[in-house]
Amino acid sequence: MSYVWPQDVFLAIEKGDISATQALKCLHEMDNTNGSSAKAHHSQKRIDEILHELDNLIGLSEVKKIVREIYAFIEIQRRREQEKLNTEPLVLHMIFKGNPGTGKTTVARIMSKFFCEIGVLTRGHLIEVERADLVGEYIGHTAQKTREQLKKAYGGILFIDEAYSLARGGEKDFGKESIDVLVKAMEDHKNELILILAGYQKEMEGFLETNPGLRSRFPIHIDFPDYSQQELLRIAERMFLTRQYSLSPDTQSVLLKLLSSHQNSVSENFGNARTVRNIIEKAIRRQAVRLMTKASTTRQELMIIEPADLLEVKQ
Amino acid sequence: MREFIIVGRPNSGKTMFTLNFAAYVGSKAVDVTFRSYDGLMTCRHFSIEEAKSQLCGMALHKTRSVQSLILKIALGKTSVNFKITDTCGIAETIHNDETIRRGMAQTLSLLRCADFIFHIVDASCLSKENANHSNSIDHEIYNYGVVRNCYAILANKIDLPSAQGNIDKLASLFPRGNTIPVSALYSQGFKEVKTCVARNI
């Protein structure tokens, strides 16, 4: 009987598994082995778990490379510190550029967990904001509102989705004021905060042109390329698998055809992985309708998606 | 704000000590914040006398939730606020009532994050449980407290005749803890407690 976290010990007392005397002994050991191998081992396990989660994402090789780079850098900084060498804190503000549905928000969420675990961020939470959260209603209100959001984000990541909209309104728009506040905060609090701006490729380029200092202030630019058809197919398979459905080989070819037709017809606003998810959910609904008419179904039937289910999915 | 936590066996005088100490540092009335194990908070305004008659009792496990008071202490020219938290008593045995077990769990979780621990020991009935086997709950609290380096033992009930000889014994049992003899009921020895609080604020 061993407990890893104090919370487990408290739960055990509540259930009546152990007495207070034993619990205190456990806590005593727990608090006095602070920072020893047990804890280090545990956090290593968590880092591995998060990296595994990241590796499970399909494609996104650039993101994976950058996360590994940062991890290695932090590890080496720690070793340098042991040897009493100079260590510099790292500026990690980032820009995510990519079409809708290429995984920008998903990656940001994983990153916040990861940075917290390796000790770059103290709290490791992710605050997701958009233009409406930052821009105020009257002169002077914007700075106040932006600063409020920044204050919430210290110790974690501030993720601004569709960031280009801050610079869209023209000369007199309050978005500019918000950008000024952000620029100042990201310099002054570079050790406590990671700022991530996300948006579509083309619009973000335009956004970076509006303020000459912006581009250089973000040392990390990550492009989220559109998924290739093979990647989309793998994503679809993964999604079916997590929902415990399976595809027959015929269905795969139909799906591939369907994806390519989608990609060609609506090239501008193609939602990538999100479109795939919609297709899948629709197919699952079609399958359900098909099976409803049958009186009894086998386990196998409940799992398999037929080509016919997919063929009806056409917008 | 510093948090001082009062722990000890059931019926060792924790609540009585808390309330009389509040009176000693100059509060005529107190706002007691009760926090039950499921996070429910209630705040009640008592005069000291009312609080004593309602919150203290002879039965075991009278206090089942965490009760905090905010007190003011004069420190040089300014006065500083601190929080004193009274807890559910903890015993060696696994209690059959779930609310009490949860209360004990709550006490232990607070023990981990408190700034200073006052451990109340009933000096009048020391002989039976404590002296013989070193496995008692008092020993465990002592072991836990001394490594935290913010810990003092209050030997309570010294007004009783049976407690007179036990103070030296207690000091030898817990050599590394700073033992202060007090009587919670008659507010004896509170001056030392107050200096201890002032030093650790």
Side-chain angles (χ1 to χ4, degrees), chain A residues 26-162:
Chain A
C26 287
L27 288 178
H28 186 82
E29 278 167 24
M30 223 174 268
D31 291 355
N32 290 321
T33 52
N34 247 346
S36 72
S37 58
K39 215 161 207 179
H41 176 73
H42 212 79
S43 90
Q44 182 61 41
K45 213 172 92 185
R46 284 221 212 167
I47 292 173
D48 286 344
E49 252 167 47
I50 296 170
L51 284 176
H52 183 72
E53 192 183 343
L54 186 74
D55 286 337
N56 256 349
L57 299 179
I58 287 161
L60 304 177
S61 54
E62 200 187 341
V63 178
K64 289 173 189 168
K65 204 178 89 196
I66 279 183
V67 169
R68 287 262 147 66
E69 267 176 26
I70 293 166
Y71 180 39
F73 176 83
I74 300 292
E75 187 58 41
I76 294 305
Q77 287 293 73
R78 196 173 296 146
R79 286 188 208 167
R80 279 175 66 101
E81 212 172 80
Q82 279 169 2
E83 299 293 325
K84 307 274 185 288
L85 287 165
N86 252 353
T87 54
E88 270 292 301
L90 196 58
V91 182
L92 288 172
H93 303 307
M94 292 179 229
I95 287 189
F96 287 1
K97 283 180 283 192
N99 281 330
T102 43
K104 298 185 290 291
T105 316
T106 314
V107 167
R109 288 205 185 118
I110 294 176
M111 274 189 173
S112 71
K113 274 193 281 180
F114 177 70
F115 286 144
C116 176
E117 215 48 66
I118 62 173
V120 177
L121 295 173
T122 48
R123 287 166 64 200
H125 60 305
L126 180 81
I127 302 265
E128 285 183 56
V129 294
E130 48 179 8
R131 184 190 149 94
D133 299 311
L134 298 173
V135 173
E137 291 161 25
Y138 42 85
I139 293 174
H141 188 208
T142 304
Q144 221 175 339
K145 238 179 144 180
T146 309
R147 226 168 275 145
E148 225 166 76
Q149 294 290 352
L150 282 165
K151 209 187 267 173
K152 267 198 257 169
Y154 287 148
I157 292 184
L158 184 68
F159 181 80
I160 305 180
D161 215 353
E162 327 289 327

Side-chain angles (χ1 to χ4, degrees), chain A residues 94-273:
Chain A
M94 292 179 229
I95 287 189
F96 287 1
K97 283 180 283 192
N99 281 330
T102 43
K104 298 185 290 291
T105 316
T106 314
V107 167
R109 288 205 185 118
I110 294 176
M111 274 189 173
S112 71
K113 274 193 281 180
F114 177 70
F115 286 144
C116 176
E117 215 48 66
I118 62 173
V120 177
L121 295 173
T122 48
R123 287 166 64 200
H125 60 305
L126 180 81
I127 302 265
E128 285 183 56
V129 294
E130 48 179 8
R131 184 190 149 94
D133 299 311
L134 298 173
V135 173
E137 291 161 25
Y138 42 85
I139 293 174
H141 188 208
T142 304
Q144 221 175 339
K145 238 179 144 180
T146 309
R147 226 168 275 145
E148 225 166 76
Q149 294 290 352
L150 282 165
K151 209 187 267 173
K152 267 198 257 169
Y154 287 148
I157 292 184
L158 184 68
F159 181 80
I160 305 180
D161 215 353
E162 327 289 327
Y164 52 83
S165 61
L166 289 175
R168 202 164 45 180
E171 256 327 283
K172 285 196 180 144
D173 188 71
F174 290 159
K176 287 254 166 59
E177 202 179 332
S178 177
I179 296 173
D180 295 341
V181 174
L182 288 174
V183 166
K184 172 114 176 68
M186 57 194 282
E187 276 303 314
D188 294 353
H189 299 272
K190 58 175 177 276
N191 302 333
E192 308 160 53
L193 175 78
I194 294 178
L195 185 64
I196 299 182
L197 303 186
Y200 306 149
Q201 186 95 41
K202 222 190 293 167
E203 278 95 339
M204 283 310 277
E205 289 299 332
F207 170 71
L208 290 175
E209 300 301 322
T210 55
N211 188 329
L214 269 181
R215 194 182 290 273
S216 58
R217 285 201 161 85
F218 288 90
I220 301 173
H221 289 237
I222 303 180
D223 279 318
F224 288 72
D226 282 352
Y227 292 110
S228 69
Q229 279 177 22
Q230 281 308 319
E231 281 170 339
L232 284 177
L233 190 65
R234 272 169 59 208
I235 291 172
E237 274 171 15
R238 181 76 54 84
M239 282 179 181
F240 274 124
L241 211 66
T242 53
R243 289 166 167 80
Q244 289 200 318
Y245 284 94
S246 56
L247 296 178
S248 60
D250 290 350
T251 324
Q252 278 189 15
S253 60
V254 173
L255 184 62
L256 205 57
K257 221 178 279 168
L258 195 69
L259 287 173
S260 66
S261 76
H262 259 282
Q263 226 161 1
N264 294 334
S265 62
V266 271
S267 55
E268 267 304 292
N269 301 316
F270 179 62
N272 278 308

Side-chain angles (χ1 to χ4, degrees), chain B residues 108-120:
Chain B
L108 293 186
S109 68
L110 271 176
L111 196 66
R112 286 189 72 238
C113 51
D115 297 306
F116 196 87
I117 303 166
F118 279 125
H119 175 193
I120 295 209

